[in-house]
């Protein structure tokens, strides 16, 4: 396994509009994408860019709200009504190699490799095998490097 850049932190939010306003007006975010639906994952998604230092790429906060009561975020918000950190996402150079390595280590992968919110392949690893943190593994976008 070769750990890459931390691409984003995923935050579940009960109210997408209120969360965007928080990042814009309380935190001073300059770049926030338009929210869009990701029906395969049952969520509405919006990215808040955090700038990097000179010459380095920043990272992002991914705001997640449920599309319906079957969404994986619905249960999370039932336990955490204010919202909170839902997952962390790290990049890897090759998604198939990373998946095979996690499987060889006996880590439980949740579902198939699929296309994530950045249009690149991702999979999730069970929090019980990842120090309690639901972990998204994402192939580095080709245009980024
Ligand atoms: Co994510």
């Amino acid at each position: 396994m070769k750990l890459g850049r931390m691409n984003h932190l995923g935050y579940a939010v009960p109210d997408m509009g209120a969360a965007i306003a928080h990042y814009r007006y309380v935190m001073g975010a300059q770049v926030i994408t338009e929210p869009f639906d990701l029906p395969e994952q049952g969520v509405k998604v919006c990215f808040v860019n955090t700038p990097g230092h000179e010459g380095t790429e920043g990272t992002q906060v991914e705001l997640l709200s449920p599309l319906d009561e079957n969404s994986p975020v619905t249960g999370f918000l039932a336990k955490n009504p204010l919202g909170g950190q839902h997952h962390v996402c790290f990049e890897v150079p090759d998604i198939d190699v990373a998946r095979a390595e996690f499987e060889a280590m006996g880590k439980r992968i949740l579902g198939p490799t699929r296309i994530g919110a950045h249009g690149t392949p991702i999979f999730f690893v069970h929090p019980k095998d990842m120090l309690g943190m639901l972990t998204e593994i994402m192939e580095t976008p080709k245009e980024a490097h």
Side-chain angles (χ1 to χ4, degrees), residues 18-90:
I20 290 169
H22 172 85
Y23 273 96
R24 182 167 289 138
Y25 300 115
V26 177
M27 299 299 283
Q30 303 288 305
V31 179
I32 303 176
T33 70
E34 277 300 313
F36 59 98
D37 291 352
L38 203 58
E40 314 80 60
Q41 293 179 33
V43 290
K44 183 181 286 291
V45 176
C46 170
F47 287 101
V48 179
N49 287 7
T50 79
H53 293 294
E54 189 77 39
T56 68
E57 197 180 353
T59 188
Q60 291 178 312
V61 173
E62 177 183 41
L63 303 175
L64 301 163
S65 63
L67 280 182
D68 56 47
E69 67 277 6
N70 298 320
S71 169
V73 175
T74 301
F76 184 94
L77 287 172
K79 284 181 227 148
N80 307 275
L82 295 176
Q85 189 174 339
H86 179 264
H87 66 271
V88 61
C89 176
F90 294 106

